[in-house]
Amino acid sequence: MAAAAGEAAGGGGGSPSSARRRLRIISGHLRGSPRAPGRGALSPSPCKAQDGSAGPTSGSIPKKRQELLKWNGWGYNDSKFIFNKKGQAEFTGKRYRLGGMVLPTFKEWIEKTFGASLEHKTTSRASLNVNDVPPSIVNEEFLQDLRATKISYSQDAEDRVFRAHGHCLHEIFVLREGMFKRIPDIVVWPVCHEDVVKIVELACKHNLCIIPFGGGTSVSSALECPEEEKRTIVSLDTSQMNRILWIDEKNLTACVEAGIVGQDLEKQLAESGFCTGHEPDSMEFSSLGGWVATRASGMKKNIYGNIEDLVIHIKMVTPRGIVEKNCQVPRMSTGPDIHHFIMGSEGTLGVVTEVTIKIRPVPEYQKYGSVVFPNFERGVACLREVAKQRCAPASIRLVDNAQFQFGHALKPQVASIFTSFLDGLKKFYITKFKGFDPNILCVATLLFEGDREKVLQHEKQVYDIATKFGGLAAGEDNGQRGYMLTFVIAYLRDLGLDYYVIGESFETSVPWDRVLDLCRNVKERIVRECKEKGVQFAPLSTCRVTQTYDAGACVYFYFAFNYRGISDPIHVYEQIERAAREEILANGGSLSHHHGVGKLRKRWMKESISDVGLGMLRSVKEYVDPNNIFGNKNLL
Amino acid sequence: MPWKELTSKKRDEFEDILEERRLSSDLRYAMKCYTPVIYKGLSPCKPNAIKSAVLHSEQVQYVIKQLAKEMGESPDIIQEEATEILDEMGHRMQLGAVRFFAFTLSKIFKQLFQRVCVNEEGMQRLQHAIQEHPVVLLPSHRSYVDFLMLSYLLYTYDLALPVIAAGIDFLGMKIVGELLRRAGAFFMRRSFGGNRLYWAVFAEYVKTMLRSGYAPIEFFLEGTRSRTAKTLTPKFGLLSIVMEPFFKREVFDTYLVPISISYERILEESLYAYELLGVPKPKESTSGLLKARRILSDNFGTIHIYVGQPVSLRTLASGRISRCPYNLVPRHLPQKPSEDIQEFVSDVAYKMELLQIENMVLSPWVLVAAVLLQNLPAMEFELLIEKTLWLKGLTQTFGGFIEWPDNLCAKKAVLSGLTLHSNIAGLVDGHVVLNDKGVEDGAVGEIVFRHALAVLMCATYRNQLLNVFVRPALVAVALQMAPSFRKEEVYSCFNFLRDVFSNEFIFFPGISLKDFEEGCFLLTKCDAIQTSQQEIYPTDKGSGTVSFLSAMFRPFVEGYQLIFRYLSKEMKEAFTEKQFIPGVRNFVFQLLEKGSTQCYEALSSDMQKNALSALVQLGAVKKKKIPSGFTYNVNQEAVSKILDMFDARIPVQKPVAARL
């Protein structure tokens, strides 16, 4: 199945602050990248020309990922946080709204929050040392067979290393300072379903191990190669399977190849006036197949649904053959839904090649908003009420005080005295006049979408509820900045790494009545564990309620600390993360809401789904893939 | 070996808090600016707000609805009932009342006690704990002074005053009951097992205060004042209530703080002795309290309060509690704790009591009483001093916490003990004798009663040593019981004794072998025994120690035998506890009158009850629930068999031989 991608919100990808702006950015990318002639046309042709590795790329992500993307960090090469000559923080590049802007209060925040200092810097090595890379061991007979198929492949060291990892902290750390023990021996780029069928057949014939790779944004160690794997490991990169095969306007569905990344999918659908509305935080880089493989969730799921609600039909190539349904219907009663064996299987059963997904007309109107609450408790109560009345906007998130301050630190330099005066006035009103404690208050960010009239009506309804819980409307700008935080945070981790600060995010889902207890206990556990493990400065331990459901919520944590004085920071980090997960489970939270299990969270699977449940999954694996061709060892 | 730390444990220094009181104005002290250290997450609220929160909580509302459905009544009526329960139960802490107590208690304590000594480091640890997480104070319970003293102490150190679980009987006292309520006491009925509404309201009341960190919660694990000064086996109800918010993760952690309060002389000592002998306890009444004021002219020596290290419940529970059961049911539904949880609660209760015991200060008089009881009717003063000093060494070897004033010579220490306890013993012609006045001119029965009173009062002090000594001493007793010195046989006797006395002394559940090893280790340490691969035998040098130890516990061995004999011979029919106690008392009384036993302690109703429940636990007596309580049925054969285990191996000692 296509590589784990999902909402790598840990790495948090890009959730630009508005979908519209996102489209603008995305089209910016596209204009800059070469497009194959005729690729815009939606042709049902089974396969495009197969001209080997030199073939033109059509999506945003080239075959040589490193040409566009950082090899040892998150996102685009040209986009990153730096401290400029004046010592002020700045975001480079022109891809994001924050690009080229100075963030005057950020330095102070980072110093105050982490006890970090600009004088204490670590540096990643400048480039990959090819001599460290484990050699590629591929049997010649397989290579001959592979060449016969005309499918593009590479045994280049860089290509292989850049497909050996996702974006977990320890993976990035290894890139900066070490080397993976085991990486793929060969990378193949199928361009269509039939190519995948051929590769899987060859793998079965030669007894190889296939690890599907989509966007590479996994944050569950799902892409790491099992060290003990003795067979040749084939990294099956789906990025060149990225066409929309057809759009069905009558049924509002589109059939899409699974390697397409989120930004390309939305961009190409937009050309016909449609969207999927699926916006995981990693949507710039993560792929459709990855979403399916990890049970991804999108920011606007309140309108469009999560991936399981969006998918109408899946085609997957397995060692047993091809699995798919015989029709494309909204629902069927034909035993357990086989889609649910596929969604969340994390590349252990096969490769998702084509997905029929629901589409919607691009919404007419979008509006951000924000509400300040006197404290987190009131905020959660308000979100609960909104969920109860089933009037949640496209997105509604509640960030705690620490995250609110974090967001504040990312406020760009104000252009005029007038705006800064207005800001001061607002602050005065909220803290002095309304008596909110700036160190306790928290903020909900909102995104409304739809008909203009309905949006305004909806907005009023939500603000009315908020008022009942002591909430004060705090403007569109705050809301927009809140969503911006989600995508820049992944870039921020790279900056932190330069200054001895390491961090990660993790998520869970939890029933409503336990939300507050879980948030408090997990944050406290992190602080405590840091202290016990000798972390010298109190960590950043913050959370937000990021999705609401009828019966509960999804909670998202950020956790980072200054590791100066600690000899083995990654080990300490992993111990703390593990403790935090234990705490989540003890508080009635789930193992994962949307990041998936991978290899990082495997140890808790039995506890999560019971012995029998695990056995059920195992028996499916045994039937579908008896020789463990899809041997990434995720999940089970 | 793990118990090594037990003996080498460093303990904190004490400070006398009355010293300051004797130097400055009590009124100013009572009116001082009181801004206590409180829980960091606390949002202040009034006592009434708590009551209303409890009444409207999902937990209580759920039970109200359930009961309404079952009984076909309107929920309003049941809600009314719940309100009444809350009004009866709830405290109304007020600073005014607290200041009143601060003033009067200062006066009273200065009258009654020479010194009130506190380990200040313990208070500092407590101060940190209170700020960090909800705190549960678990003091030992020897006297009504306990909770007054503890609140007084917290006030003195500017800490949040506790809310205290008190017995409902205090409410019988006019004014005083209400005063206590204003000082933070809340009242629980003695038994409410069957009353679901009461249980729900009570549990929620306690948990609401705990969750919000409103105040430290104080209650007595022992459930009631120990009349014998020997730690009572723990009660689990309240403990499991205060642990539940952590199990359900409604709080991050909860601190349990064991507190050991020991009295050089216990205020209620003679009341207790009467009570144990079956002279009924006077009901708590204000006039009774006023009558008791004559004791104000008496001297009750020094109080030692040792505030133990706060124990994190989270740490205790780590790895022991499966989280599943609490995740699959809404948290407001009443849920019977799983066996795991029950076992855990019991372990924690015992652990806390063992910590209380470990930090309980022992005065020189405790040693004197232990020696004296083995040497009745009279003991030469010099010999008593010598033996007391010897016992001091032994006690310290066993990890006992003796407060022996620096440089105080043994003679002075013994004399000052005798002065303080002149009601129990005195010096006559260079001999120390029990003070059982009226012996010469009474009837036989009267003489026995008087002597029993004196013995029981004296035993109250010796008893404070017993839980420190019980492991090595039971090894010593087992050595005498066992047919050979083979380790297995000694251990099996030890194990038998440990089971029989499991209600009498505090043993951590399920670690018999560890207890045995600890006992052996301590005996080896004081050169009383030697162990080889297969055998344990007393050394020549140590025979004195071994026989002293077994003599120390002989009253229990003999007392239990008497009580068992009574049960196996006299009780053919089902009986209740109300019938059993007077019956066995008469039986022992007659034997004492005839002079065929010298075991006065078998008259103690405490021992009698413990012996009965031991038989229930051993399966030799069947306990059945009936509407008005319990009935008991003796399995004659089983009891005889248990008796044989005693009898066949250790013949009942003649009084003369019992001398050291």
Side-chain angles (χ1 to χ4, degrees), chain A residues 513-515 517-518 520-522 524-525 528 531 581-583 585-589 604 607, chain B residues 40 132-133 247-253 255 312 314-315 323-324 326-331:
Chain A
D513 70 314
R514 294 173 200 252
V515 169
D517 289 331
L518 182 135
R520 182 197 58 232
N521 291 342
V522 172
E524 170 125 20
R525 178 77 180 262
R528 252 216 196 188
K531 209 169 170 185
R581 183 57 61 183
E582 294 279 352
E583 192 62 35
L585 296 174
N587 280 272
W604 294 288
E607 178 182 340
Chain B
K40 63 176 182 209
E132 226 181 317
H133 299 299
F247 293 150
K248 293 185 171 172
R249 292 303 195 273
E250 291 161 340
V251 295
F252 183 77
D253 197 354
Y255 277 129
S312 147
R314 175 175 273 268
T315 310
R323 41 210 172 205
C324 221
Y326 290 101
N327 284 348
L328 293 178
V329 178
R331 293 185 295 180

Short mmCIF file of all heavy atoms in Angstrom, two decimals, chain A residues 513-515 517-518 520-522 524-525 528 531 581-583 585-589 604 607, chain B residues 40 132-133 247-253 255 312 314-315 323-324 326-331:
data_model
loop_
_atom_site.label_atom_id
_atom_site.label_comp_id
_atom_site.label_asym_id
_atom_site.label_seq_id
_atom_site.Cartn_x
_atom_site.Cartn_y
_atom_site.Cartn_z
N ASP A 513 -15.76 13.73 28.19
CA ASP A 513 -15.67 13.95 29.63
C ASP A 513 -14.26 13.79 30.16
O ASP A 513 -13.97 14.14 31.29
CB ASP A 513 -16.63 13.02 30.38
CG ASP A 513 -16.16 11.57 30.34
OD1 ASP A 513 -15.79 11.11 29.24
OD2 ASP A 513 -16.16 10.91 31.39
N ARG A 514 -13.37 13.25 29.34
CA ARG A 514 -12.00 13.08 29.84
C ARG A 514 -11.01 14.04 29.22
O ARG A 514 -9.82 13.97 29.49
CB ARG A 514 -11.54 11.64 29.55
CG ARG A 514 -12.31 10.60 30.33
CD ARG A 514 -11.93 9.20 29.87
NE ARG A 514 -12.96 8.25 30.23
CZ ARG A 514 -12.82 7.33 31.19
NH1 ARG A 514 -11.70 7.24 31.85
NH2 ARG A 514 -13.81 6.51 31.47
N VAL A 515 -11.51 14.93 28.36
CA VAL A 515 -10.59 15.81 27.63
C VAL A 515 -9.71 16.63 28.58
O VAL A 515 -8.49 16.63 28.47
CB VAL A 515 -11.37 16.75 26.68
CG1 VAL A 515 -10.47 17.84 26.14
CG2 VAL A 515 -11.99 15.95 25.54
N ASP A 517 -9.03 16.28 31.80
CA ASP A 517 -8.12 15.51 32.64
C ASP A 517 -6.94 15.00 31.82
O ASP A 517 -5.79 15.05 32.26
CB ASP A 517 -8.85 14.32 33.28
CG ASP A 517 -9.83 14.78 34.36
OD1 ASP A 517 -9.56 15.83 34.97
OD2 ASP A 517 -10.85 14.11 34.58
N LEU A 518 -7.25 14.52 30.62
CA LEU A 518 -6.17 14.00 29.77
C LEU A 518 -5.16 15.10 29.43
O LEU A 518 -3.95 14.91 29.55
CB LEU A 518 -6.75 13.38 28.51
CG LEU A 518 -5.72 12.76 27.57
CD1 LEU A 518 -6.19 11.39 27.08
CD2 LEU A 518 -5.42 13.63 26.37
N ARG A 520 -4.48 17.90 30.98
CA ARG A 520 -3.70 18.32 32.15
C ARG A 520 -2.68 17.25 32.53
O ARG A 520 -1.50 17.53 32.74
CB ARG A 520 -4.65 18.56 33.33
CG ARG A 520 -3.93 19.04 34.59
CD ARG A 520 -4.81 18.88 35.82
NE ARG A 520 -5.21 17.49 35.98
CZ ARG A 520 -6.47 17.09 36.14
NH1 ARG A 520 -7.44 17.97 36.17
NH2 ARG A 520 -6.75 15.82 36.29
N ASN A 521 -3.13 16.00 32.60
CA ASN A 521 -2.24 14.94 33.07
C ASN A 521 -1.09 14.67 32.12
O ASN A 521 0.03 14.44 32.55
CB ASN A 521 -3.03 13.65 33.30
CG ASN A 521 -3.97 13.76 34.48
OD1 ASN A 521 -3.82 14.65 35.32
ND2 ASN A 521 -4.95 12.88 34.57
N VAL A 522 -1.37 14.68 30.84
CA VAL A 522 -0.30 14.40 29.87
C VAL A 522 0.74 15.51 29.91
O VAL A 522 1.94 15.26 29.93
CB VAL A 522 -0.86 14.20 28.46
CG1 VAL A 522 0.26 14.10 27.44
CG2 VAL A 522 -1.73 12.95 28.42
N GLU A 524 1.39 17.48 32.36
CA GLU A 524 2.12 17.40 33.63
C GLU A 524 3.11 16.23 33.61
O GLU A 524 4.23 16.34 34.11
CB GLU A 524 1.13 17.24 34.79
CG GLU A 524 1.82 16.92 36.11
CD GLU A 524 1.48 17.88 37.22
OE1 GLU A 524 0.44 18.56 37.11
OE2 GLU A 524 2.25 17.95 38.19
N ARG A 525 2.68 15.14 33.02
CA ARG A 525 3.57 13.97 32.96
C ARG A 525 4.85 14.32 32.20
O ARG A 525 5.95 13.95 32.60
CB ARG A 525 2.83 12.81 32.28
CG ARG A 525 3.66 11.54 32.10
CD ARG A 525 3.80 10.78 33.40
NE ARG A 525 4.57 9.56 33.25
CZ ARG A 525 4.05 8.35 33.11
NH1 ARG A 525 2.74 8.20 33.10
NH2 ARG A 525 4.81 7.29 33.01
N ARG A 528 7.09 16.44 34.30
CA ARG A 528 7.69 15.63 35.35
C ARG A 528 8.78 14.71 34.83
O ARG A 528 9.84 14.59 35.43
CB ARG A 528 6.59 14.74 35.93
CG ARG A 528 6.17 15.16 37.27
CD ARG A 528 5.87 13.86 37.99
NE ARG A 528 5.10 14.15 39.17
CZ ARG A 528 4.83 13.24 40.07
NH1 ARG A 528 5.23 12.00 39.90
NH2 ARG A 528 4.15 13.55 41.13
N LYS A 531 11.93 16.50 34.11
CA LYS A 531 12.66 16.80 35.34
C LYS A 531 13.42 15.55 35.80
O LYS A 531 14.59 15.61 36.13
CB LYS A 531 11.64 17.22 36.40
CG LYS A 531 12.18 18.17 37.43
CD LYS A 531 11.00 18.69 38.23
CE LYS A 531 11.43 19.46 39.46
NZ LYS A 531 10.25 19.83 40.25
N ARG A 581 2.70 8.68 26.11
CA ARG A 581 1.72 7.78 25.49
C ARG A 581 1.07 6.90 26.55
O ARG A 581 -0.14 6.68 26.53
CB ARG A 581 2.41 6.95 24.40
CG ARG A 581 1.48 6.03 23.64
CD ARG A 581 0.31 6.74 22.98
NE ARG A 581 0.72 7.73 21.99
CZ ARG A 581 -0.11 8.51 21.32
NH1 ARG A 581 -1.42 8.43 21.49
NH2 ARG A 581 0.36 9.40 20.46
N GLU A 582 1.87 6.41 27.48
CA GLU A 582 1.31 5.61 28.57
C GLU A 582 0.25 6.42 29.32
O GLU A 582 -0.81 5.93 29.68
CB GLU A 582 2.40 5.21 29.58
CG GLU A 582 3.46 4.26 29.04
CD GLU A 582 2.98 2.81 29.06
OE1 GLU A 582 1.91 2.55 29.63
OE2 GLU A 582 3.68 1.95 28.48
N GLU A 583 0.60 7.68 29.52
CA GLU A 583 -0.32 8.55 30.25
C GLU A 583 -1.62 8.73 29.47
O GLU A 583 -2.71 8.68 30.04
CB GLU A 583 0.36 9.91 30.49
CG GLU A 583 -0.36 10.80 31.48
CD GLU A 583 -0.44 10.20 32.87
OE1 GLU A 583 0.51 9.51 33.27
OE2 GLU A 583 -1.47 10.41 33.53
N LEU A 585 -2.97 6.65 27.38
CA LEU A 585 -3.76 5.42 27.46
C LEU A 585 -4.41 5.28 28.83
O LEU A 585 -5.56 4.87 28.95
CB LEU A 585 -2.88 4.21 27.15
CG LEU A 585 -2.31 4.18 25.72
CD1 LEU A 585 -1.34 3.03 25.56
CD2 LEU A 585 -3.42 4.09 24.69
N ALA A 586 -3.66 5.65 29.87
CA ALA A 586 -4.22 5.56 31.22
C ALA A 586 -5.37 6.53 31.42
O ALA A 586 -6.22 6.34 32.28
CB ALA A 586 -3.13 5.82 32.25
N ASN A 587 -5.41 7.56 30.61
CA ASN A 587 -6.47 8.55 30.74
C ASN A 587 -7.64 8.28 29.79
O ASN A 587 -8.48 9.14 29.58
CB ASN A 587 -5.92 9.96 30.48
CG ASN A 587 -5.22 10.52 31.70
OD1 ASN A 587 -5.83 11.14 32.56
ND2 ASN A 587 -3.92 10.25 31.81
N GLY A 588 -7.63 7.13 29.19
CA GLY A 588 -8.75 6.77 28.33
C GLY A 588 -8.63 7.32 26.92
O GLY A 588 -9.63 7.38 26.21
N GLY A 589 -7.44 7.71 26.51
CA GLY A 589 -7.23 8.18 25.15
C GLY A 589 -6.85 7.03 24.24
O GLY A 589 -6.49 5.95 24.69
N TRP A 604 1.84 -1.09 21.87
CA TRP A 604 0.56 -0.92 22.56
C TRP A 604 -0.62 -1.48 21.75
O TRP A 604 -1.77 -1.30 22.15
CB TRP A 604 0.30 0.56 22.85
CG TRP A 604 1.25 1.16 23.82
CD1 TRP A 604 1.29 0.93 25.18
CD2 TRP A 604 2.29 2.11 23.57
NE1 TRP A 604 2.28 1.66 25.76
CE2 TRP A 604 2.93 2.40 24.80
CE3 TRP A 604 2.76 2.75 22.42
CZ2 TRP A 604 3.99 3.30 24.92
CZ3 TRP A 604 3.83 3.64 22.53
CH2 TRP A 604 4.43 3.90 23.76
N GLU A 607 -2.83 -4.15 23.63
CA GLU A 607 -3.66 -3.49 24.64
C GLU A 607 -4.80 -2.71 23.98
O GLU A 607 -5.90 -2.64 24.50
CB GLU A 607 -2.76 -2.55 25.44
CG GLU A 607 -3.49 -1.76 26.50
CD GLU A 607 -2.56 -0.80 27.23
OE1 GLU A 607 -1.33 -1.02 27.20
OE2 GLU A 607 -3.08 0.15 27.83
N LYS B 40 -1.83 24.32 44.32
CA LYS B 40 -1.60 25.28 43.24
C LYS B 40 -2.79 25.43 42.30
O LYS B 40 -3.04 26.48 41.75
CB LYS B 40 -0.35 24.87 42.44
CG LYS B 40 -0.53 23.53 41.77
CD LYS B 40 0.63 23.12 40.88
CE LYS B 40 0.29 21.79 40.26
NZ LYS B 40 1.37 20.94 39.95
N GLU B 132 1.59 20.91 45.57
CA GLU B 132 1.75 20.17 44.34
C GLU B 132 0.54 19.34 43.92
O GLU B 132 0.07 19.42 42.80
CB GLU B 132 2.96 19.24 44.49
CG GLU B 132 3.89 19.27 43.32
CD GLU B 132 5.04 18.31 43.52
OE1 GLU B 132 5.58 18.27 44.65
OE2 GLU B 132 5.37 17.59 42.59
N HIS B 133 0.06 18.52 44.84
CA HIS B 133 -1.05 17.61 44.54
C HIS B 133 -2.00 17.53 45.74
O HIS B 133 -1.61 17.90 46.83
CB HIS B 133 -0.51 16.20 44.25
CG HIS B 133 0.41 16.14 43.08
ND1 HIS B 133 0.04 16.49 41.81
CD2 HIS B 133 1.71 15.80 43.00
CE1 HIS B 133 1.07 16.35 41.00
NE2 HIS B 133 2.09 15.93 41.68
N PHE B 247 -7.20 6.79 40.28
CA PHE B 247 -7.44 5.65 39.38
C PHE B 247 -8.17 6.11 38.12
O PHE B 247 -7.93 5.64 37.03
CB PHE B 247 -8.28 4.57 40.06
CG PHE B 247 -7.59 3.88 41.19
CD1 PHE B 247 -8.30 3.38 42.26
CD2 PHE B 247 -6.21 3.73 41.18
CE1 PHE B 247 -7.66 2.73 43.30
CE2 PHE B 247 -5.56 3.09 42.22
CZ PHE B 247 -6.29 2.60 43.28
N LYS B 248 -9.10 7.04 38.30
CA LYS B 248 -9.86 7.53 37.16
C LYS B 248 -9.17 8.70 36.49
O LYS B 248 -9.71 9.32 35.59
CB LYS B 248 -11.26 7.95 37.62
CG LYS B 248 -12.09 6.77 38.08
CD LYS B 248 -13.51 7.16 38.42
CE LYS B 248 -14.35 5.92 38.66
NZ LYS B 248 -15.69 6.24 39.16
N ARG B 249 -7.97 9.02 36.94
CA ARG B 249 -7.15 10.08 36.38
C ARG B 249 -7.84 11.44 36.44
O ARG B 249 -7.59 12.31 35.60
CB ARG B 249 -6.76 9.76 34.93
CG ARG B 249 -5.80 8.58 34.80
CD ARG B 249 -4.53 8.81 35.61
NE ARG B 249 -3.45 7.91 35.28
CZ ARG B 249 -3.25 6.70 35.80
NH1 ARG B 249 -4.08 6.22 36.73
NH2 ARG B 249 -2.21 5.96 35.44
N GLU B 250 -8.68 11.60 37.45
CA GLU B 250 -9.26 12.93 37.62
C GLU B 250 -8.26 13.87 38.29
O GLU B 250 -8.41 15.08 38.25
CB GLU B 250 -10.54 12.84 38.47
CG GLU B 250 -11.65 12.13 37.73
CD GLU B 250 -12.73 11.61 38.66
OE1 GLU B 250 -12.49 11.44 39.86
OE2 GLU B 250 -13.84 11.35 38.17
N VAL B 251 -7.27 13.29 38.92
CA VAL B 251 -6.14 14.08 39.43
C VAL B 251 -4.87 13.44 38.91
O VAL B 251 -4.85 12.25 38.60
CB VAL B 251 -6.10 14.12 40.97
CG1 VAL B 251 -7.30 14.85 41.53
CG2 VAL B 251 -6.01 12.72 41.55
N PHE B 252 -3.80 14.23 38.84
CA PHE B 252 -2.56 13.68 38.32
C PHE B 252 -1.93 12.73 39.32
O PHE B 252 -1.39 11.69 38.97
CB PHE B 252 -1.57 14.80 37.99
CG PHE B 252 -0.30 14.30 37.39
CD1 PHE B 252 -0.26 13.93 36.05
CD2 PHE B 252 0.85 14.16 38.14
CE1 PHE B 252 0.91 13.45 35.48
CE2 PHE B 252 2.03 13.68 37.57
CZ PHE B 252 2.05 13.32 36.24
N ASP B 253 -2.04 13.10 40.56
CA ASP B 253 -1.43 12.27 41.60
C ASP B 253 -2.10 12.64 42.92
O ASP B 253 -2.80 13.65 43.01
CB ASP B 253 0.08 12.54 41.67
CG ASP B 253 0.83 11.44 42.41
OD1 ASP B 253 0.16 10.53 42.95
OD2 ASP B 253 2.07 11.47 42.44
N TYR B 255 -1.00 12.62 47.18
CA TYR B 255 0.01 12.29 48.17
C TYR B 255 -0.64 11.69 49.40
O TYR B 255 -1.62 12.23 49.93
CB TYR B 255 0.78 13.54 48.60
CG TYR B 255 1.91 13.92 47.69
CD1 TYR B 255 2.03 15.21 47.19
CD2 TYR B 255 2.89 12.99 47.35
CE1 TYR B 255 3.08 15.55 46.37
CE2 TYR B 255 3.94 13.33 46.52
CZ TYR B 255 4.03 14.61 46.03
OH TYR B 255 5.07 14.95 45.21
N SER B 312 3.77 9.16 46.98
CA SER B 312 3.00 9.43 45.77
C SER B 312 2.20 8.20 45.38
O SER B 312 2.75 7.12 45.17
CB SER B 312 3.97 9.83 44.64
OG SER B 312 3.48 9.39 43.40
N ARG B 314 0.73 7.74 42.65
CA ARG B 314 1.10 7.40 41.28
C ARG B 314 2.30 6.45 41.26
O ARG B 314 2.32 5.48 40.52
CB ARG B 314 1.42 8.70 40.53
CG ARG B 314 1.93 8.52 39.13
CD ARG B 314 2.10 9.87 38.46
NE ARG B 314 0.87 10.31 37.84
CZ ARG B 314 0.55 10.07 36.57
NH1 ARG B 314 1.36 9.39 35.81
NH2 ARG B 314 -0.58 10.50 36.07
N THR B 315 3.27 6.75 42.09
CA THR B 315 4.45 5.88 42.15
C THR B 315 4.06 4.50 42.67
O THR B 315 4.51 3.48 42.13
CB THR B 315 5.51 6.51 43.07
OG1 THR B 315 5.71 7.86 42.67
CG2 THR B 315 6.81 5.76 42.99
N ARG B 323 -5.38 -0.30 33.34
CA ARG B 323 -6.18 0.91 33.15
C ARG B 323 -7.51 0.63 32.50
O ARG B 323 -8.41 1.44 32.49
CB ARG B 323 -5.41 1.93 32.34
CG ARG B 323 -4.65 1.35 31.19
CD ARG B 323 -3.42 2.19 30.93
NE ARG B 323 -2.56 1.56 29.94
CZ ARG B 323 -1.27 1.77 29.86
NH1 ARG B 323 -0.69 2.59 30.70
NH2 ARG B 323 -0.54 1.18 28.94
N CYS B 324 -7.64 -0.55 31.96
CA CYS B 324 -8.83 -0.85 31.17
C CYS B 324 -10.16 -0.64 31.89
O CYS B 324 -11.03 0.04 31.37
CB CYS B 324 -8.74 -2.25 30.61
SG CYS B 324 -9.31 -2.34 28.92
N TYR B 326 -11.34 1.21 34.00
CA TYR B 326 -11.84 2.56 34.18
C TYR B 326 -12.07 3.26 32.85
O TYR B 326 -12.71 4.29 32.80
CB TYR B 326 -10.88 3.36 35.06
CG TYR B 326 -10.88 2.88 36.48
CD1 TYR B 326 -9.89 2.05 36.97
CD2 TYR B 326 -11.93 3.23 37.33
CE1 TYR B 326 -9.92 1.60 38.27
CE2 TYR B 326 -11.97 2.78 38.63
CZ TYR B 326 -10.96 1.96 39.09
OH TYR B 326 -11.00 1.51 40.38
N ASN B 327 -11.51 2.72 31.79
CA ASN B 327 -11.67 3.37 30.49
C ASN B 327 -12.97 2.96 29.79
O ASN B 327 -13.40 3.61 28.86
CB ASN B 327 -10.50 3.02 29.57
CG ASN B 327 -9.25 3.79 29.95
OD1 ASN B 327 -9.32 4.71 30.73
ND2 ASN B 327 -8.12 3.40 29.40
N LEU B 328 -13.55 1.86 30.21
CA LEU B 328 -14.68 1.33 29.45
C LEU B 328 -16.04 1.62 30.06
O LEU B 328 -17.05 1.21 29.53
CB LEU B 328 -14.50 -0.19 29.25
CG LEU B 328 -13.31 -0.54 28.34
CD1 LEU B 328 -13.15 -2.04 28.21
CD2 LEU B 328 -13.48 0.09 26.97
N VAL B 329 -16.05 2.30 31.18
CA VAL B 329 -17.32 2.65 31.80
C VAL B 329 -17.27 4.14 32.12
O VAL B 329 -16.23 4.64 32.54
CB VAL B 329 -17.49 1.85 33.12
CG1 VAL B 329 -18.77 2.23 33.82
CG2 VAL B 329 -17.44 0.36 32.83
N PRO B 330 -18.37 4.85 31.90
CA PRO B 330 -18.37 6.28 32.25
C PRO B 330 -17.94 6.44 33.71
O PRO B 330 -18.31 5.65 34.56
CB PRO B 330 -19.82 6.70 32.06
CG PRO B 330 -20.39 5.72 31.11
CD PRO B 330 -19.65 4.43 31.33
N ARG B 331 -17.19 7.48 33.95
CA ARG B 331 -16.55 7.56 35.25
C ARG B 331 -17.52 7.88 36.38
O ARG B 331 -17.18 7.73 37.54
CB ARG B 331 -15.42 8.59 35.21
CG ARG B 331 -14.29 8.12 34.32
CD ARG B 331 -13.12 9.07 34.37
NE ARG B 331 -13.45 10.38 33.82
CZ ARG B 331 -12.59 11.37 33.75
NH1 ARG B 331 -11.38 11.21 34.21
NH2 ARG B 331 -12.94 12.51 33.21
#
